Amino acid sequence: MPDTPLPEEQVRFVARLGAAMGAANYPVTLVRQMLERVSSNYGARNDFIALPNHVQVVGHAGGSGSIVKAAHLDRDLRFDQMFPLAPLIADAMAGRVSPARGEARLDAVLDKKPPRRAWASVLGYAVQSVGFALLLEPTPLNVLVAGGLGVVVGLFWTTGQRVPGLAPLVPVLSAFVVTAVCIIGARELGMDHVGLRALIPPLAMFLPGAAITLAVIELTARDVISGSSRLIAGFVQIAQLAFGILIASQMLQTDDTQLTSDAINKIGPWAPWLGVAVYSAGVMLFLAPPRSFLPWLLLITYLGYSAQYLGDLLLGSYVSGFCGGVVLTFAALAMTRLRGSPPAITMILPGFWLLVPGSMGLIGITELFGADGDSALPATLISMVSVSLGMQAGLVLWQLVRQRSRPASAFRS
């Protein structure tokens, strides 16, 4: 370690690093662990307040004096920024970086420019939407529509990134346009219904599965304030999507009986398995991780989807999400022990988005306004919580395995 850092310097760095972790969708529980560990490494006794979008650190400077530093970020970190952030967190927790050097590295992470141009992100999102279409409702028409509407939603998203005031309206606007195009197209083609599953692929980025999962993890860890706020935010985002769908349906005078959630596969049983690869290719373009991430991405997405598929066959649709979450989390954490592996969170997030835990919620909230409303809400809650509990179970299972293997691996640090 370098020379002992000044109290103000270390308090500021710890607060800023905690805020960056919150912006990268780390659970508040892990943020607090980092705050405690890093402060201990600096020989400091600090008090903390950690929330999803705000971190405050109170450092004791000796005597009756204290130093208070608060930090927050206005936006979530991009996926590509998580790759350099994770090693910085590890180095700070291991005491391998001074506050001054740590802040310099953190500034480099926050100032990192997007590695892809806007058009590449739009194209990547269209490819990702095609992958979701192959997974959810593989028909030639749905795949074509998902690609086209993926371009439209991708354009909305990139515009919202450049015009911050427009960003909160993008989910509603996207849901409205996607629904309107699908309804008008179905009428022009003489179809008597619009599949709700056809609406999900272009809207997948707005499904709040990550927020719901973090909420469940934090609530079970007794972080009630953080968990409750994330849970409310997740349901508000679902309501935004449902509002856009419902407004388009009412304006075009579509009866709720014309909106169905039945799964249709006109391509073949192999289509969803191809969809996993297409989705992974879209992630590489849209989220712009390093090229070396592709093999790991393919491995983790196929493991998660395989577990979900087998869980559905053996145990039923609701438990399938739990199975996928367990395998996804355990595999991602286990792979971090391999040389050259990416950070666990960068493998968990894309694999988790593939499970589409929010899709059932979107369908359920929409059906609440129709004849199936009495059964849609329980289905919505169960499907979301299923994946969340699966991920938490995977984390617990990994911790148990590590405890049992620690004596044997103590000489490999």
Side-chain angles (χ1 to χ4, degrees):
M1 278 288 297
D3 295 337
T4 303
L6 298 174
E8 181 176 359
E9 191 178 51
Q10 65 93 1
V11 169
R12 183 178 62 245
F13 170 59
V14 169
R16 293 188 62 203
L17 185 58
M21 289 180 68
N25 286 319
Y26 281 83
V28 165
T29 307
L30 295 183
V31 175
R32 189 178 296 110
Q33 289 178 4
M34 182 280 298
L35 295 172
E36 294 174 352
R37 183 85 62 82
V38 176
S39 296
S40 176
N41 289 336
Y42 295 144
R45 184 174 62 86
N46 297 332
D47 297 320
F48 319 105
I49 297 176
L51 299 173
N53 60 350
H54 180 85
V55 172
Q56 180 174 301
V57 180
V58 180
H60 301 278
S64 59
S66 61
I67 301 169
V68 180
K69 294 293 180 181
H72 75 279
L73 294 177
D74 296 329
R75 290 188 177 186
D76 288 345
L77 292 188
R78 298 188 313 273
F79 188 69
D80 63 281
Q81 290 174 301
M82 296 181 186
F83 287 83
L85 177 65
L88 173 58
I89 296 170
D91 288 345
M93 293 183 69
R96 294 191 295 262
V97 63
S98 67
R101 178 58 182 162
E103 283 206 83
R105 288 174 59 181
L106 182 57
D107 288 335
V109 172
L110 300 179
D111 295 338
K112 187 175 184 291
K113 294 182 179 180
R116 299 276 193 278
R117 294 184 180 273
W119 65 265
S121 296
V122 172
L123 176 62
Y125 189 70
V127 174
Q128 182 175 308
S129 298
V130 169
F132 275 119
L134 289 169
L135 284 162
L136 295 174
E137 189 166 341
T139 68
L141 177 61
N142 192 33
V143 169
L144 181 63
V145 172
L149 290 176
V151 171
V152 174
V153 175
L155 289 171
F156 288 160
W157 179 81
T158 54
T159 303
Q161 297 298 302
R162 297 182 179 183
V163 185
L166 183 62
L169 300 177
V170 171
V172 177
L173 178 62
S174 299
F176 175 83
V177 171
V178 167
T179 305
V181 169
C182 288
I183 292 175
I184 294 173
R187 288 177 178 175
E188 292 295 324
L189 294 173
M191 301 171 63
D192 60 355
H193 71 279
V194 176
L196 287 170
R197 290 175 178 267
L199 307 181
I200 295 172
L203 301 175
M205 78 163 77
F206 306 116
L207 297 174
I212 300 294
T213 295
L214 290 174
V216 171
I217 292 174
E218 290 171 350
L219 286 172
T220 53
R222 303 186 70 180
D223 287 312
V224 179
I225 296 177
S226 299
S228 300
S229 62
R230 289 192 199 270
L231 192 64
I232 293 171
F235 278 110
V236 167
Q237 195 159 344
I238 292 176
Q240 286 181 303
L241 294 176
F243 181 74
I245 293 174
L246 291 170
I247 292 300
S249 300
Q250 290 183 357
M251 288 184 62
L252 296 172
Q253 299 180 345
T254 301
D255 194 304
D256 59 303
T257 59
Q258 296 175 285
L259 297 175
T260 66
S261 59
D262 297 331
I264 301 173
N265 187 339
K266 294 184 178 180
I267 295 180
W270 50 267
W273 299 96
L274 174 63
V276 176
V278 175
Y279 164 80
S280 299
V283 167
M284 294 297 295
L285 279 172
F286 178 56
L287 299 179
R291 293 181 181 179
S292 60
F293 183 61
L294 180 58
W296 302 98
L297 175 61
L298 288 170
L299 179 58
I300 198 68
T301 50
Y302 271 107
L303 283 174
Y305 181 73
S306 298
Q308 186 183 40
Y309 178 78
L310 292 175
D312 185 26
L313 289 179
L314 300 176
L315 302 172
S317 58
Y318 291 139
V319 184
S320 68
F322 180 87
C323 296
V326 170
V327 172
L328 173 67
T329 305
F330 185 86
L333 292 170
M335 284 191 285
T336 58
R337 312 290 281 183
L338 302 176
R339 180 174 298 179
S341 64
I345 192 170
T346 62
M347 290 187 283
I348 290 174
L349 287 177
F352 174 68
W353 293 328
L354 182 67
L355 301 179
V356 197
S359 62
M360 190 66 187
L362 176 60
I363 294 172
I365 293 294
T366 305
E367 291 179 347
L368 284 175
F369 298 87
D372 297 328
D374 57 344
S375 61
L377 184 57
T380 299
L381 296 174
I382 293 172
S383 62
M384 287 186 174
V385 173
S386 176
V387 179
S388 304
L389 292 177
M391 294 186 68
Q392 191 170 20
L395 176 60
V396 172
L397 181 61
W398 170 248
Q399 291 174 341
L400 292 174
V401 170
R402 283 193 64 188
Q403 289 177 359
R404 291 178 62 88
S405 62
R406 187 167 296 168
S409 58
F411 301 98
R412 299 183 187 176
S413 58

